Amino acid sequence: MDSNEFFAPARTPSDDTAAPADDAALVSSSDAVDGEVNSAGSVAKPLKAERTPVWIDLLNPSDDEIHEIEKRFDIEVPTREEMQEIELSSRLYDEDGALFMTVSVLNKANSDEPETTAITFILVKKTLITLRYADPVPFKTFIRRVNRSPSLASSAEAVLFGLLEQIVDRLADIMEQAAADLEGLSNIVFANPDDPAHDQDHRAVLRRIGRAGNLSGKAKDSLLNLHRLGLFLSTQTRLKKDAKTRLKTISRDIVSITEHANFIANKVTFLLDATLGMINLEQNNIIKIFSVAAAAFLPPTLIASIYGMNFEVMPELDWQFGYPLAIGLMVLSAVLPLWYFKRKGWL
């Protein structure tokens, strides 16, 4: 397991045996099996066997640590390969009262290679176990929030919904950033060609559009997983009324962000088509220039070819004004087509 450390919330002040919030412990992820957040909200290494952990966060766990969790809670933790399966029955299921929920969470959204990583939430009795092989931003942010406000981790359900809300908030921020980036791209694509900021080859624009499309696609995949998880949790009778109310709020946010993600996906398609159309127009303009040049210089070439023939009987060859006449004809035959094309608006 990676040696990352995280802050665990202290006991709530209402607990008679509560420790002060300043005594919140720093628990390394290598001690995540032993480090516990008790049901009252405090985190420390277990001092008493009867203390119930609220949240156990497994980041890159070893086989021995997974085995210890399985033995301690009498469950079978899914393997990393099983977490990657796309079947709904393999991602969301109830096994002897323990809820197993695997979702794809967007990770490295600000990098050039965003990815989705599978994270498993296991809700067993009064404990939430999170199994992950990446450290996305929502987990880091939620851990910092819990350290400042220990009441956010008053129960396993509170931690679960807090993490889900943080993931949804992160996706909303990513969609807002993607929308702003696409707005800037739209101004570039439809900018005046005479504008110095206009990108003539559009390669950078295409790369940015492709990145926005890739990001929105992965965000939609994550939102779809969260929506399925919400539907699964809504059928659980163990959740209290306030928990279900909180779940409904999360579900509404997911639907709203999904609609925004669909809008972004449509705009990505529109900008991609528009950019490719601009490229085609520029290519057509280049071909048109070559076509006009060929048409303009064809008559002068014809005249030059005629007087370049080696016939003995060509009166103009002995004429004093033959050469100036040939030059004049070639210039005139080149200017007349250009004047005609200009009049027709083809230039």
Side-chain angles (χ1 to χ4, degrees), residues 222-255:
S222 182
L223 289 167
L224 177 61
N225 280 262
L226 291 171
H227 179 67
R228 290 175 174 174
L229 185 148
L231 294 177
F232 176 74
L233 285 175
S234 64
T235 62
Q236 303 302 315
T237 57
R238 61 184 291 180
L239 295 180
K240 297 180 181 179
K241 184 178 180 181
D242 56 343
K244 289 192 175 182
T245 301
R246 195 173 178 181
L247 178 61
K248 288 182 180 179
T249 302
I250 296 175
S251 298
R252 286 197 295 267
D253 290 341
I254 291 174
V255 172

Side-chain angles (χ1 to χ4, degrees), residues 172-183:
D173 293 340
I174 292 172
M175 291 297 96
E176 291 174 1
Q177 182 180 356
D181 191 27
L182 288 177
E183 188 66 25

